[in-house]
Amino acid sequence: MTVNRALFDEVMVPNYAPSAVIPVRGQGSRVWDQDDKEYIDFAGGIAVNCLGHCHPALVNALKEQGEKIWHLSNVMTNEPALRLAKKMVDATFADKIYFANSGAEANEAALKLARRWALDVHGEHKNQIISFKQGFHGRTFFTVSVGGQAAYSDGFGPKPGAIDHAEYNNLASLEAIISDNTCAVMLEPLQGEGGVVSPTDDFIKGVRALCDKHNALMIFDEVQTGVGRTGELYAYMGLGVTPDILTSAKALGGGFPIGAMLTTAEIAKHLKIGTHGSTYGGNPLACAVAEAAFDTVNNAEVLAGVKERESFVKKRLAEINEKYNVFADIRGEGMLIGAELTEQFKGRAKDFLNAAMEKGVMTLVAGANVIRFAPSLVIPMEDLSQGLERYEQAVAQIATA
Ligand SMILES: *Cc1c(COP(=O)(O)O)cnc(C)c1O
């Protein structure tokens, strides 16, 4: 069988447009394709591979658990899930954990819990969910409707109701629609897909205050920002604001699918027996790998290393920009960095991504105007430096064309 990009068009549903390159192996922050061409990975499987590829701690956890027990279902609990939950509770504001298999599922659980909490505690009228334009919360029908891009949620028939959108970093726009009928406000403590946009201090604290005023739950979607990505274990820890519910996925499993919802005991008690569930959620194999990832990232040295790498990347991007004048803004936190293109290159983020791929460096975009970098949290400085050299060549090629 010839396994190549053409086979994708033949046998796969056409909802993705993958690159022509098919990677076949990875080690640390380097990846090789079918022709053995080498790439430096600044994409990290969309901010997932927090420890790069085939990190020994994760490989060991996978092998060890893989020879013990893979799956039980939630008819029984299991040791890796209990250990991981205990560690997450000890490290965060949360008292209780629910495991899912992805970010969207973790958010689905958070939204259902918020609705059930409001119904139990306040009554039927309190059902409004507010989120923000350009926000992204996953692709289930509930989460994509809560997400702030109509292009993703339109065209599937009637949507779940009582969902409204305010503008990120615009407190007045939230104040205008929040009321005692609001059950929850969901937001990313740094918008990832929406263009790598940090909240202002006034905004994030103001959202917390408005939630408190109206007895609404504050839900932080930390699917992209969680588990060390911003240089904090969770981004909320650097913001001086604590949510009522938090969701985690992506980096949590370091590449193995897992999601989690974290909350307080007071709120958690409304998710009674039978109200929600998942066949795979909290599966021992996923939890064993996630436990190893969580242990490795939840370490002062690793987290400090993320901040060091952030400074280095921002400095190098600024140097590249001095030469070629392609970026209007360089922003983000930790190993989640965005570079917004100038007016001259507006709409061409994908061209930069393709040029970089050709030069041997994998990157991401966040919309049509923002290039996104989400390397491993422990990427060796040498790989970071060499990857940025390659990136500079890609920028040069486009800027001087
Ligand atoms: C990626 C992402 C999701 C969706 O996660 P999946 O695992 O793809 O379901 C949700 N929220 C945010 C902020 C994300 O970045």
Side-chain angles (χ1 to χ4, degrees):
M1 195 194 320
T2 313
V3 180
N4 56 19
R5 177 60 179 77
L7 189 57
F8 179 93
D9 293 334
E10 199 182 312
V11 299
M12 302 289 259
V13 164
N15 61 318
Y16 301 119
S19 69
V21 167
I22 300 183
V24 291
R25 66 194 167 88
Q27 190 61 54
S29 285
R30 309 251 171 178
V31 170
W32 290 267
D33 71 11
Q34 289 177 313
D35 300 325
D36 219 29
K37 179 178 167 178
E38 180 229 323
Y39 302 82
I40 293 174
D41 188 1
F42 287 176
I46 317 192
V48 165
N49 303 323
C50 57
L51 299 171
H53 299 272
C54 297
H55 188 283
L58 304 196
V59 172
N60 284 341
L62 183 73
K63 282 186 178 164
E64 218 174 88
Q65 190 61 42
E67 289 174 354
K68 280 188 190 160
I69 197 158
W70 290 22
H71 178 77
L72 288 162
S73 92
N74 287 298
V75 172
M76 276 154 275
T77 188
N78 68 78
E79 292 181 355
L82 294 172
R83 279 200 306 265
L84 175 60
K86 174 73 171 119
K87 287 174 180 180
M88 293 176 80
V89 161
D90 286 348
T92 65
F93 76 96
D95 312 309
K96 302 280 183 179
I97 310 289
Y98 167 84
F99 287 121
N101 310 290
S102 66
E105 280 182 52
N107 285 334
E108 185 83 18
L111 293 164
K112 284 178 71 178
L113 171 58
R115 280 270 178 86
R116 183 57 66 102
W117 164 86
L119 183 68
D120 286 353
V121 176
H122 297 276
E124 250 173 56
H125 65 282
K126 196 173 179 71
N127 62 13
Q128 183 197 33
I129 290 164
I130 302 178
S131 54
F132 295 87
K133 288 174 186 157
Q134 303 308 316
F136 184 77
H137 302 297
R139 297 287 200 148
T140 65
F141 205 21
F142 199 174
T143 58
V144 85
S145 302
V146 171
Q149 284 192 270
Y152 293 162
S153 55
D154 286 358
F156 300 102
K159 293 177 193 172
I163 299 167
D164 293 298
H165 297 94
E167 269 170 46
Y168 202 73
N169 277 336
N170 179 343
L171 201 57
S173 75
L174 174 61
E175 205 160 7
I177 57 174
I178 197 169
S179 76
D180 290 350
N181 293 335
T182 306
C183 126
V185 176
M186 180 179 241
L187 73 164
E188 297 160 83
L190 184 168
Q191 286 192 332
E193 303 301 313
V196 190
V197 179
S198 291
T200 63
D201 190 54
D202 284 354
F203 173 70
I204 204 78
K205 290 185 172 141
V207 173
R208 177 72 268 182
L210 284 172
C211 286
D212 291 343
K213 182 176 167 197
H214 294 287
N215 276 316
L217 300 181
M218 188 184 203
I219 307 175
F220 268 6
D221 177 347
E222 291 229 30
V223 169
Q224 189 153 162
T225 53
V227 193
R229 183 57 54 192
T230 66
E232 307 281 347
L233 181 63
Y234 283 98
Y236 83 86
M237 295 170 177
L239 294 173
V241 159
T242 303
D244 301 296
I245 302 177
L246 181 152
T247 55
S248 186
K250 290 201 165 99
L252 182 59
F256 201 99
I258 184 169
M261 177 187 71
L262 295 71
T263 189
T264 64
E266 197 51 37
I267 297 166
K269 72 182 185 202
H270 296 278
L271 219 50
K272 294 189 184 80
I273 293 171
T275 46
H276 192 57
S278 158
T279 299
Y280 288 115
N283 150 311
L285 203 50
C287 289
V289 177
E291 184 190 1
F294 197 80
D295 282 344
T296 308
V297 172
N298 189 16
N299 167 294
E301 225 171 288
V302 168
L303 295 172
V306 173
K307 288 287 182 194
E308 271 167 48
R309 286 165 177 78
E310 172 192 339
S311 306
F312 179 76
V313 173
K314 284 182 171 169
K315 180 174 135 276
R316 283 290 291 123
L317 288 176
E319 285 167 7
I320 293 170
N321 201 34
E322 264 170 44
K323 284 196 209 166
Y324 300 104
N325 204 12
V326 291
F327 305 135
D329 192 22
I330 296 163
R331 59 188 182 232
E333 294 284 336
M335 287 291 86
L336 181 54
I337 292 173
E340 183 168 353
L341 296 170
T342 57
E343 201 57 36
Q344 189 189 345
F345 296 98
K346 215 176 162 85
R348 292 188 59 192
K350 200 72 197 269
D351 292 345
F352 282 77
L353 182 149
N354 291 335
M357 196 73 173
E358 226 178 273
K359 299 290 181 196
V361 57
M362 295 172 164
T363 58
L364 299 166
V365 300
N369 303 318
V370 178
I371 293 146
R372 179 170 37 149
F373 303 91
S376 154
L377 308 182
V378 295
I379 182 171
M381 290 306 282
E382 194 193 312
D383 291 9
L384 212 45
S385 174
Q386 198 181 341
L388 284 160
E389 267 166 47
R390 292 181 191 181
Y391 197 73
E392 176 163 352
Q393 292 171 24
V395 170
Q397 185 182 307
I398 293 182
T400 60

PDB file of all heavy atoms in Angstrom, residues 34-63:
ATOM      1  N   GLN A  34       8.584  11.227   6.010  1.00  0.00           N
ATOM      2  CA  GLN A  34       8.765   9.972   5.256  1.00  0.00           C
ATOM      3  C   GLN A  34      10.066   9.942   4.458  1.00  0.00           C
ATOM      4  O   GLN A  34      10.600   8.878   4.185  1.00  0.00           O
ATOM      5  CB  GLN A  34       7.583   9.767   4.300  1.00  0.00           C
ATOM      6  CG  GLN A  34       6.281   9.418   5.004  1.00  0.00           C
ATOM      7  CD  GLN A  34       5.113   9.303   4.031  1.00  0.00           C
ATOM      8  OE1 GLN A  34       4.937  10.178   3.178  1.00  0.00           O
ATOM      9  NE2 GLN A  34       4.320   8.251   4.161  1.00  0.00           N
ATOM     10  N   ASP A  35      10.549  11.141   4.042  1.00  0.00           N
ATOM     11  CA  ASP A  35      11.802  11.205   3.274  1.00  0.00           C
ATOM     12  C   ASP A  35      12.994  11.461   4.177  1.00  0.00           C
ATOM     13  O   ASP A  35      14.076  11.810   3.698  1.00  0.00           O
ATOM     14  CB  ASP A  35      11.718  12.327   2.218  1.00  0.00           C
ATOM     15  CG  ASP A  35      10.576  12.101   1.253  1.00  0.00           C
ATOM     16  OD1 ASP A  35      10.299  10.921   0.940  1.00  0.00           O
ATOM     17  OD2 ASP A  35       9.944  13.101   0.839  1.00  0.00           O
ATOM     18  N   ASP A  36      12.779  11.347   5.473  1.00  0.00           N
ATOM     19  CA  ASP A  36      13.820  11.575   6.469  1.00  0.00           C
ATOM     20  C   ASP A  36      14.288  13.029   6.532  1.00  0.00           C
ATOM     21  O   ASP A  36      15.353  13.327   7.063  1.00  0.00           O
ATOM     22  CB  ASP A  36      15.025  10.644   6.235  1.00  0.00           C
ATOM     23  CG  ASP A  36      15.593  10.144   7.561  1.00  0.00           C
ATOM     24  OD1 ASP A  36      14.812  10.031   8.531  1.00  0.00           O
ATOM     25  OD2 ASP A  36      16.808   9.891   7.643  1.00  0.00           O
ATOM     26  N   LYS A  37      13.483  13.940   6.009  1.00  0.00           N
ATOM     27  CA  LYS A  37      13.790  15.363   6.191  1.00  0.00           C
ATOM     28  C   LYS A  37      13.487  15.724   7.644  1.00  0.00           C
ATOM     29  O   LYS A  37      12.474  15.291   8.198  1.00  0.00           O
ATOM     30  CB  LYS A  37      12.945  16.223   5.246  1.00  0.00           C
ATOM     31  CG  LYS A  37      13.203  17.710   5.412  1.00  0.00           C
ATOM     32  CD  LYS A  37      12.416  18.574   4.441  1.00  0.00           C
ATOM     33  CE  LYS A  37      12.468  20.032   4.875  1.00  0.00           C
ATOM     34  NZ  LYS A  37      11.784  20.936   3.980  1.00  0.00           N
ATOM     35  N   GLU A  38      14.356  16.529   8.253  1.00  0.00           N
ATOM     36  CA  GLU A  38      14.217  16.855   9.667  1.00  0.00           C
ATOM     37  C   GLU A  38      13.583  18.244   9.867  1.00  0.00           C
ATOM     38  O   GLU A  38      13.865  19.177   9.116  1.00  0.00           O
ATOM     39  CB  GLU A  38      15.606  16.834  10.323  1.00  0.00           C
ATOM     40  CG  GLU A  38      15.589  17.156  11.789  1.00  0.00           C
ATOM     41  CD  GLU A  38      16.626  18.202  12.156  1.00  0.00           C
ATOM     42  OE1 GLU A  38      17.720  18.166  11.576  1.00  0.00           O
ATOM     43  OE2 GLU A  38      16.328  19.055  12.978  1.00  0.00           O
ATOM     44  N   TYR A  39      12.736  18.333  10.867  1.00  0.00           N
ATOM     45  CA  TYR A  39      12.062  19.589  11.213  1.00  0.00           C
ATOM     46  C   TYR A  39      12.288  19.894  12.687  1.00  0.00           C
ATOM     47  O   TYR A  39      12.370  18.972  13.501  1.00  0.00           O
ATOM     48  CB  TYR A  39      10.548  19.483  10.989  1.00  0.00           C
ATOM     49  CG  TYR A  39      10.165  19.133   9.583  1.00  0.00           C
ATOM     50  CD1 TYR A  39      10.182  17.807   9.152  1.00  0.00           C
ATOM     51  CD2 TYR A  39       9.820  20.118   8.669  1.00  0.00           C
ATOM     52  CE1 TYR A  39       9.855  17.472   7.850  1.00  0.00           C
ATOM     53  CE2 TYR A  39       9.488  19.796   7.360  1.00  0.00           C
ATOM     54  CZ  TYR A  39       9.509  18.470   6.959  1.00  0.00           C
ATOM     55  OH  TYR A  39       9.187  18.151   5.675  1.00  0.00           O
ATOM     56  N   ILE A  40      12.326  21.166  13.030  1.00  0.00           N
ATOM     57  CA  ILE A  40      12.286  21.567  14.440  1.00  0.00           C
ATOM     58  C   ILE A  40      10.842  21.943  14.731  1.00  0.00           C
ATOM     59  O   ILE A  40      10.200  22.651  13.954  1.00  0.00           O
ATOM     60  CB  ILE A  40      13.272  22.722  14.715  1.00  0.00           C
ATOM     61  CG1 ILE A  40      14.702  22.194  14.525  1.00  0.00           C
ATOM     62  CG2 ILE A  40      13.067  23.273  16.128  1.00  0.00           C
ATOM     63  CD1 ILE A  40      15.779  23.240  14.631  1.00  0.00           C
ATOM     64  N   ASP A  41      10.332  21.424  15.826  1.00  0.00           N
ATOM     65  CA  ASP A  41       8.898  21.507  16.095  1.00  0.00           C
ATOM     66  C   ASP A  41       8.544  22.667  17.021  1.00  0.00           C
ATOM     67  O   ASP A  41       8.736  22.590  18.231  1.00  0.00           O
ATOM     68  CB  ASP A  41       8.425  20.172  16.697  1.00  0.00           C
ATOM     69  CG  ASP A  41       6.910  20.104  16.822  1.00  0.00           C
ATOM     70  OD1 ASP A  41       6.247  21.075  16.421  1.00  0.00           O
ATOM     71  OD2 ASP A  41       6.413  19.088  17.331  1.00  0.00           O
ATOM     72  N   PHE A  42       7.999  23.739  16.444  1.00  0.00           N
ATOM     73  CA  PHE A  42       7.474  24.864  17.234  1.00  0.00           C
ATOM     74  C   PHE A  42       5.938  24.813  17.271  1.00  0.00           C
ATOM     75  O   PHE A  42       5.299  25.757  17.717  1.00  0.00           O
ATOM     76  CB  PHE A  42       7.885  26.206  16.618  1.00  0.00           C
ATOM     77  CG  PHE A  42       9.333  26.570  16.786  1.00  0.00           C
ATOM     78  CD1 PHE A  42       9.841  27.728  16.195  1.00  0.00           C
ATOM     79  CD2 PHE A  42      10.205  25.789  17.540  1.00  0.00           C
ATOM     80  CE1 PHE A  42      11.176  28.094  16.349  1.00  0.00           C
ATOM     81  CE2 PHE A  42      11.551  26.137  17.694  1.00  0.00           C
ATOM     82  CZ  PHE A  42      12.030  27.294  17.088  1.00  0.00           C
ATOM     83  N   ALA A  43       5.362  23.727  16.768  1.00  0.00           N
ATOM     84  CA  ALA A  43       3.901  23.599  16.731  1.00  0.00           C
ATOM     85  C   ALA A  43       3.410  22.739  17.892  1.00  0.00           C
ATOM     86  O   ALA A  43       2.348  22.977  18.454  1.00  0.00           O
ATOM     87  CB  ALA A  43       3.459  22.997  15.405  1.00  0.00           C
ATOM     88  N   GLY A  44       4.199  21.721  18.219  1.00  0.00           N
ATOM     89  CA  GLY A  44       3.882  20.882  19.377  1.00  0.00           C
ATOM     90  C   GLY A  44       2.512  20.241  19.293  1.00  0.00           C
ATOM     91  O   GLY A  44       1.832  20.106  20.316  1.00  0.00           O
ATOM     92  N   GLY A  45       2.099  19.849  18.079  1.00  0.00           N
ATOM     93  CA  GLY A  45       0.791  19.202  17.956  1.00  0.00           C
ATOM     94  C   GLY A  45      -0.334  20.109  18.442  1.00  0.00           C
ATOM     95  O   GLY A  45      -1.268  19.647  19.100  1.00  0.00           O
ATOM     96  N   ILE A  46      -0.226  21.418  18.126  1.00  0.00           N
ATOM     97  CA  ILE A  46      -1.137  22.472  18.609  1.00  0.00           C
ATOM     98  C   ILE A  46      -1.094  22.549  20.142  1.00  0.00           C
ATOM     99  O   ILE A  46      -2.083  22.276  20.841  1.00  0.00           O
ATOM    100  CB  ILE A  46      -2.595  22.320  18.106  1.00  0.00           C
ATOM    101  CG1 ILE A  46      -2.626  21.947  16.617  1.00  0.00           C
ATOM    102  CG2 ILE A  46      -3.367  23.625  18.347  1.00  0.00           C
ATOM    103  CD1 ILE A  46      -3.997  22.042  15.951  1.00  0.00           C
ATOM    104  N   ALA A  47       0.067  22.913  20.644  1.00  0.00           N
ATOM    105  CA  ALA A  47       0.234  23.189  22.092  1.00  0.00           C
ATOM    106  C   ALA A  47      -0.076  21.981  22.972  1.00  0.00           C
ATOM    107  O   ALA A  47      -0.525  22.126  24.099  1.00  0.00           O
ATOM    108  CB  ALA A  47      -0.615  24.400  22.501  1.00  0.00           C
ATOM    109  N   VAL A  48       0.157  20.800  22.435  1.00  0.00           N
ATOM    110  CA  VAL A  48      -0.120  19.559  23.172  1.00  0.00           C
ATOM    111  C   VAL A  48       1.156  18.927  23.728  1.00  0.00           C
ATOM    112  O   VAL A  48       1.229  18.555  24.900  1.00  0.00           O
ATOM    113  CB  VAL A  48      -0.862  18.553  22.261  1.00  0.00           C
ATOM    114  CG1 VAL A  48      -0.849  17.153  22.861  1.00  0.00           C
ATOM    115  CG2 VAL A  48      -2.300  19.016  22.015  1.00  0.00           C
ATOM    116  N   ASN A  49       2.165  18.795  22.864  1.00  0.00           N
ATOM    117  CA  ASN A  49       3.377  18.054  23.228  1.00  0.00           C
ATOM    118  C   ASN A  49       4.273  18.908  24.132  1.00  0.00           C
ATOM    119  O   ASN A  49       5.320  19.379  23.734  1.00  0.00           O
ATOM    120  CB  ASN A  49       4.139  17.640  21.967  1.00  0.00           C
ATOM    121  CG  ASN A  49       3.270  16.819  21.031  1.00  0.00           C
ATOM    122  OD1 ASN A  49       2.462  16.013  21.471  1.00  0.00           O
ATOM    123  ND2 ASN A  49       3.422  17.046  19.742  1.00  0.00           N
ATOM    124  N   CYS A  50       3.846  19.058  25.386  1.00  0.00           N
ATOM    125  CA  CYS A  50       4.534  19.968  26.304  1.00  0.00           C
ATOM    126  C   CYS A  50       5.943  19.498  26.640  1.00  0.00           C
ATOM    127  O   CYS A  50       6.762  20.285  27.100  1.00  0.00           O
ATOM    128  CB  CYS A  50       3.719  20.155  27.577  1.00  0.00           C
ATOM    129  SG  CYS A  50       3.363  18.612  28.435  1.00  0.00           S
ATOM    130  N   LEU A  51       6.217  18.220  26.433  1.00  0.00           N
ATOM    131  CA  LEU A  51       7.556  17.691  26.725  1.00  0.00           C
ATOM    132  C   LEU A  51       8.199  17.152  25.455  1.00  0.00           C
ATOM    133  O   LEU A  51       9.069  16.274  25.510  1.00  0.00           O
ATOM    134  CB  LEU A  51       7.468  16.605  27.804  1.00  0.00           C
ATOM    135  CG  LEU A  51       6.915  17.087  29.153  1.00  0.00           C
ATOM    136  CD1 LEU A  51       6.662  15.928  30.099  1.00  0.00           C
ATOM    137  CD2 LEU A  51       7.875  18.099  29.800  1.00  0.00           C
ATOM    138  N   GLY A  52       7.791  17.673  24.314  1.00  0.00           N
ATOM    139  CA  GLY A  52       8.335  17.228  23.042  1.00  0.00           C
ATOM    140  C   GLY A  52       7.837  15.835  22.680  1.00  0.00           C
ATOM    141  O   GLY A  52       6.808  15.390  23.188  1.00  0.00           O
ATOM    142  N   HIS A  53       8.590  15.184  21.823  1.00  0.00           N
ATOM    143  CA  HIS A  53       8.201  13.846  21.345  1.00  0.00           C
ATOM    144  C   HIS A  53       8.988  12.777  22.091  1.00  0.00           C
ATOM    145  O   HIS A  53      10.198  12.913  22.304  1.00  0.00           O
ATOM    146  CB  HIS A  53       8.460  13.732  19.847  1.00  0.00           C
ATOM    147  CG  HIS A  53       7.673  14.722  19.041  1.00  0.00           C
ATOM    148  ND1 HIS A  53       6.394  14.464  18.585  1.00  0.00           N
ATOM    149  CD2 HIS A  53       7.950  15.992  18.652  1.00  0.00           C
ATOM    150  CE1 HIS A  53       5.940  15.525  17.932  1.00  0.00           C
ATOM    151  NE2 HIS A  53       6.862  16.469  17.964  1.00  0.00           N
ATOM    152  N   CYS A  54       8.277  11.725  22.466  1.00  0.00           N
ATOM    153  CA  CYS A  54       8.916  10.546  23.072  1.00  0.00           C
ATOM    154  C   CYS A  54       9.774  10.890  24.290  1.00  0.00           C
ATOM    155  O   CYS A  54      10.884  10.367  24.451  1.00  0.00           O
ATOM    156  CB  CYS A  54       9.742   9.781  22.040  1.00  0.00           C
ATOM    157  SG  CYS A  54       8.735   9.122  20.709  1.00  0.00           S
ATOM    158  N   HIS A  55       9.275  11.784  25.145  1.00  0.00           N
ATOM    159  CA  HIS A  55       9.984  12.085  26.391  1.00  0.00           C
ATOM    160  C   HIS A  55      10.082  10.803  27.223  1.00  0.00           C
ATOM    161  O   HIS A  55       9.085  10.095  27.389  1.00  0.00           O
ATOM    162  CB  HIS A  55       9.225  13.160  27.167  1.00  0.00           C
ATOM    163  CG  HIS A  55       9.971  13.675  28.363  1.00  0.00           C
ATOM    164  ND1 HIS A  55      10.062  12.967  29.538  1.00  0.00           N
ATOM    165  CD2 HIS A  55      10.674  14.818  28.561  1.00  0.00           C
ATOM    166  CE1 HIS A  55      10.783  13.663  30.411  1.00  0.00           C
ATOM    167  NE2 HIS A  55      11.167  14.787  29.833  1.00  0.00           N
ATOM    168  N   PRO A  56      11.262  10.482  27.753  1.00  0.00           N
ATOM    169  CA  PRO A  56      11.438   9.196  28.447  1.00  0.00           C
ATOM    170  C   PRO A  56      10.443   8.970  29.596  1.00  0.00           C
ATOM    171  O   PRO A  56       9.989   7.834  29.800  1.00  0.00           O
ATOM    172  CB  PRO A  56      12.878   9.243  28.972  1.00  0.00           C
ATOM    173  CG  PRO A  56      13.434  10.559  28.591  1.00  0.00           C
ATOM    174  CD  PRO A  56      12.507  11.237  27.640  1.00  0.00           C
ATOM    175  N   ALA A  57      10.096  10.025  30.334  1.00  0.00           N
ATOM    176  CA  ALA A  57       9.155   9.852  31.454  1.00  0.00           C
ATOM    177  C   ALA A  57       7.787   9.402  30.939  1.00  0.00           C
ATOM    178  O   ALA A  57       7.117   8.568  31.567  1.00  0.00           O
ATOM    179  CB  ALA A  57       9.023  11.159  32.238  1.00  0.00           C
ATOM    180  N   LEU A  58       7.378   9.941  29.789  1.00  0.00           N
ATOM    181  CA  LEU A  58       6.066   9.580  29.241  1.00  0.00           C
ATOM    182  C   LEU A  58       6.109   8.202  28.592  1.00  0.00           C
ATOM    183  O   LEU A  58       5.175   7.406  28.729  1.00  0.00           O
ATOM    184  CB  LEU A  58       5.589  10.625  28.217  1.00  0.00           C
ATOM    185  CG  LEU A  58       5.499  12.079  28.682  1.00  0.00           C
ATOM    186  CD1 LEU A  58       4.660  12.892  27.706  1.00  0.00           C
ATOM    187  CD2 LEU A  58       4.937  12.209  30.074  1.00  0.00           C
ATOM    188  N   VAL A  59       7.203   7.926  27.891  1.00  0.00           N
ATOM    189  CA  VAL A  59       7.348   6.606  27.256  1.00  0.00           C
ATOM    190  C   VAL A  59       7.343   5.520  28.333  1.00  0.00           C
ATOM    191  O   VAL A  59       6.660   4.495  28.200  1.00  0.00           O
ATOM    192  CB  VAL A  59       8.643   6.541  26.404  1.00  0.00           C
ATOM    193  CG1 VAL A  59       8.895   5.116  25.912  1.00  0.00           C
ATOM    194  CG2 VAL A  59       8.548   7.492  25.223  1.00  0.00           C
ATOM    195  N   ASN A  60       8.065   5.763  29.421  1.00  0.00           N
ATOM    196  CA  ASN A  60       8.093   4.771  30.513  1.00  0.00           C
ATOM    197  C   ASN A  60       6.725   4.557  31.120  1.00  0.00           C
ATOM    198  O   ASN A  60       6.312   3.418  31.367  1.00  0.00           O
ATOM    199  CB  ASN A  60       9.059   5.214  31.624  1.00  0.00           C
ATOM    200  CG  ASN A  60      10.497   5.001  31.218  1.00  0.00           C
ATOM    201  OD1 ASN A  60      10.787   4.227  30.297  1.00  0.00           O
ATOM    202  ND2 ASN A  60      11.409   5.696  31.871  1.00  0.00           N
ATOM    203  N   ALA A  61       6.015   5.653  31.369  1.00  0.00           N
ATOM    204  CA  ALA A  61       4.680   5.546  31.973  1.00  0.00           C
ATOM    205  C   ALA A  61       3.748   4.762  31.049  1.00  0.00           C
ATOM    206  O   ALA A  61       2.980   3.899  31.498  1.00  0.00           O
ATOM    207  CB  ALA A  61       4.106   6.937  32.251  1.00  0.00           C
ATOM    208  N   LEU A  62       3.848   5.043  29.755  1.00  0.00           N
ATOM    209  CA  LEU A  62       2.988   4.363  28.774  1.00  0.00           C
ATOM    210  C   LEU A  62       3.300   2.863  28.725  1.00  0.00           C
ATOM    211  O   LEU A  62       2.396   2.028  28.761  1.00  0.00           O
ATOM    212  CB  LEU A  62       3.190   4.982  27.389  1.00  0.00           C
ATOM    213  CG  LEU A  62       2.301   4.432  26.277  1.00  0.00           C
ATOM    214  CD1 LEU A  62       0.866   4.918  26.432  1.00  0.00           C
ATOM    215  CD2 LEU A  62       2.826   4.836  24.915  1.00  0.00           C
ATOM    216  N   LYS A  63       4.586   2.550  28.676  1.00  0.00           N
ATOM    217  CA  LYS A  63       4.983   1.137  28.596  1.00  0.00           C
ATOM    218  C   LYS A  63       4.590   0.393  29.866  1.00  0.00           C
ATOM    219  O   LYS A  63       4.044  -0.713  29.805  1.00  0.00           O
ATOM    220  CB  LYS A  63       6.502   1.027  28.414  1.00  0.00           C
ATOM    221  CG  LYS A  63       6.963   1.294  27.001  1.00  0.00           C
ATOM    222  CD  LYS A  63       8.456   1.015  26.901  1.00  0.00           C
ATOM    223  CE  LYS A  63       8.960   1.215  25.484  1.00  0.00           C
ATOM    224  NZ  LYS A  63      10.434   1.310  25.455  1.00  0.00           N
TER     225      LYS A  63
END
